[in-house]
């Protein structure tokens, strides 16, 4: 019995001693792995560790895990050195990318039009009806030959025309290089002379309008407007046959123009007027065509004669 007890104590002693040795060995290995193989601990993450400890991709770790007696996996020195080098390389690449300075886009230098300021000043003077000051600013604008210079010429063509300076206006028209702007400048010259309202200026306006419809290329807006303006001018002078010729030209050639329907109204007025070819039935027909065309359309200032036409239809309808 005493021998059995002694043997049991001896076994317990041997077991305790072996456990101490195992604990010591484990703690030494753990300390060794932490001390030697983590040169860049701030770059470690779970994804990197998992990819390097996948048994299917690392045969050394797979062999360690296949041992059922091993409860702790300790990375080998070779693996940790490889990981450290790879992480250091990744970290370096990241830092290099961030350190590249951003290239600043070069801003395009804003080109200042030297003729723009004077043009704007001239327009401002016009709003206050200070025509002389406006003329001076516009002249200064096209003296500097910028993009706004051509529009300054248009404005002064109009102002010079209103002052009866048709020669100066014609000179500005000739200096316009842009074909479209040149037509508009010519129209402003004719219109300004027309607005003066005396027989002499009307004759000058008539000639300038004729230039537009004969010498200049056909313009979808200004050519029919010129025919229309000439017709109205001639109606004022009671030259009905010539006026009708201008209006018929609009009806035949410019059906999409703003003047197409008003041309019918004025033909109604012409054939109602007292002259050799007066024709009330034809007048009634043109008035009716105008009203039919205007049905449902928005009113356009200067081109809406519905009120007058209704009255003429009522009077003519009862008299025929």
């Amino acid at each position: 019995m005493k021998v059995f007890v002694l043997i049991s104590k001896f076994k317990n002693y041997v077991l305790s001693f072996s456990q101490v040795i195992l604990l010591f060995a484990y703690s030494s290995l753990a300390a060794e792995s932490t001390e030697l193989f983590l040169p860049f601990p701030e770059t470690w993450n779970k994804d990197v560790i998992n990819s390097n400890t996948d048994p299917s991709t690392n045969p050394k770790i797979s062999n360690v895990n296949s041992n059922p007696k091993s409860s702790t996996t300790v990375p080998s020195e070779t693996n940790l050195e490889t990981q450290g080098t790879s992480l250091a390389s990744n970290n370096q690449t990241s830092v290099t990318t961030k350190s590249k300075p951003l290239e600043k886009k070069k801003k395009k230098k804003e080109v200042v039009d030297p003729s723009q300021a004077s043009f704007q000043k001239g327009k401002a003077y016009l709003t206050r009806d200070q025509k002389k000051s406006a003329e001076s600013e516009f002249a200064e604008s096209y003296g500097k030959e910028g993009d706004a210079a051509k529009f300054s010429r248009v404005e002064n063509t109009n102002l010079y025309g209103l002052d009866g300076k048709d020669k100066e206006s014609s000179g500005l028209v000739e200096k316009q290089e842009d074909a479209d702007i040149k037509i508009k400048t010519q129209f402003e010259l004719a219109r300004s002379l027309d607005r003066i309202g005396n027989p002499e200026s009307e004759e000058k306006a008539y000639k300038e309008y004729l230039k537009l419809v004969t010498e200049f290329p056909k313009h979808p807006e200004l050519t029919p407007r010129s025919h229309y303006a000439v017709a109205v001018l001639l109606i004022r002078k009671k030259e009905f046959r010539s006026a009708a010729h201008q209006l018929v030209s609009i009806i035949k050639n410019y059906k999409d123009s703003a003047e197409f329907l008003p041309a019918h109204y004025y033909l109604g007025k012409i054939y109602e007027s007292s002259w050799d070819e007066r024709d009330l039935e034809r007048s009634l027909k043109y008035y009716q065509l105008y009203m039919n065309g205007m049905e449902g359309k928005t009113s356009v200032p200067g081109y809406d004669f519905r009120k007058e036409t209704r009255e003429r239809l009522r009077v003519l309808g009862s008299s025929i």
Side-chain angles (χ1 to χ4, degrees):
M1 187 68 178
K2 290 181 178 180
V3 174
F4 179 76
V5 171
L6 288 171
I7 291 171
S8 297
K9 289 183 176 180
F10 180 76
K11 286 181 178 179
N12 291 336
Y13 175 77
V14 172
L15 288 170
S16 299
F17 183 74
S18 62
Q19 288 174 352
V20 169
I21 291 173
L22 288 171
L23 288 171
F24 179 78
Y26 175 79
S27 62
S28 298
L29 287 171
E32 183 180 5
S33 65
T34 304
E35 182 179 353
L36 294 178
F37 306 119
L38 296 176
F40 299 103
E42 69 276 5
T43 63
W44 280 67
N45 56 56
K46 291 182 180 179
D47 294 333
V48 174
I49 293 173
N50 291 338
S51 65
N52 285 309
T53 56
D54 186 356
S56 64
T57 58
N58 196 329
K60 292 186 179 181
I61 296 177
S62 178
N63 291 336
V64 173
N65 288 339
S66 65
N67 186 358
K69 293 182 181 180
S70 297
S71 59
T72 306
T73 301
V74 181
S76 67
E77 180 175 349
T78 304
N79 287 340
L80 285 173
E81 285 179 348
T82 304
Q83 292 170 6
T85 304
S86 175
L87 290 168
S89 176
N90 291 338
N91 192 50
Q92 177 118 6
T93 303
S94 176
V95 171
T96 303
T97 302
K98 291 179 181 178
S99 63
K100 287 183 180 179
L102 295 174
E103 294 183 2
K104 294 183 179 179
K105 292 182 179 179
K106 294 182 180 180
K107 292 183 178 179
K108 292 182 180 180
K109 292 184 179 180
E110 185 177 352
V111 179
V112 179
D113 181 355
S115 63
Q116 182 67 29
S118 296
F119 172 71
Q120 291 177 340
K121 289 177 185 177
K123 295 291 284 185
Y125 282 127
L126 280 182
T127 63
R128 300 184 65 194
D129 202 29
Q130 297 178 354
K131 295 180 181 178
K132 293 298 180 184
S133 297
E135 284 180 9
S136 177
E137 292 295 340
F138 290 138
E140 185 174 345
S141 175
Y142 55 72
K144 295 176 181 177
E145 290 302 331
D147 288 338
K150 54 190 175 185
F151 302 111
S152 293
R153 287 193 182 96
V154 175
E155 296 293 340
N156 260 4
T157 300
N158 192 352
L159 293 175
Y160 288 158
L162 289 172
D163 289 341
K165 301 176 182 178
D166 49 297
K167 290 183 180 180
E168 288 87 340
S169 295
S170 297
L172 292 176
V173 173
E174 293 304 317
K175 288 183 179 180
Q176 295 285 33
E177 296 179 357
D178 185 289
D180 188 61
I181 298 296
K182 188 170 186 176
I183 294 172
K184 291 177 181 178
T185 309
Q186 175 66 24
F187 182 80
E188 287 301 322
L189 168 58
R191 188 172 68 158
S192 63
L193 292 170
D194 193 6
R195 288 165 60 191
I196 293 175
N198 60 51
E200 183 182 356
S201 65
E202 284 181 345
E203 284 303 313
K204 291 180 179 179
Y206 176 76
K207 291 178 182 179
E208 299 302 334
Y209 281 131
L210 278 185
K211 284 183 183 180
L212 270 169
V213 299
T214 58
E215 298 179 18
F216 284 79
K218 301 300 180 185
H219 192 281
E221 295 178 7
L222 295 182
T223 304
R225 281 186 71 182
S226 297
H227 282 295
Y228 186 80
V230 170
V232 174
L233 184 155
L234 293 172
I235 289 171
R236 290 200 307 265
K237 297 173 76 69
K238 300 186 183 303
E239 297 181 25
F240 300 119
R241 185 188 295 275
S242 296
H245 177 76
Q246 299 294 328
L247 295 171
V248 169
S249 181
I250 296 172
I251 292 172
K252 285 184 176 181
N253 303 311
Y254 300 96
K255 294 182 179 180
D256 294 329
S257 69
E259 291 75 24
F260 177 73
L261 288 174
H264 290 75
Y265 166 77
Y266 274 109
L267 281 168
K269 285 194 70 169
I270 286 174
Y271 283 106
E272 188 185 359
S273 301
S274 297
W275 62 301
D276 295 341
E277 298 182 36
R278 188 184 190 212
D279 189 334
L280 295 183
E281 288 187 359
R282 185 173 290 186
S283 175
L284 186 64
K285 178 182 177 181
Y286 278 115
Y287 282 141
Q288 192 62 59
L289 286 171
Y290 171 77
M291 289 301 294
N292 292 344
M294 289 298 292
E295 186 176 353
K297 294 203 173 197
T298 305
S299 174
V300 178
Y303 286 162
D304 192 342
F305 305 106
R306 280 177 279 195
K307 183 178 179 181
E308 298 90 332
T309 305
R310 288 191 192 98
E311 177 61 21
R312 299 319 304 159
L313 285 171
R314 185 186 65 79
V315 172
L316 289 175
S318 61
S319 63
I320 294 177

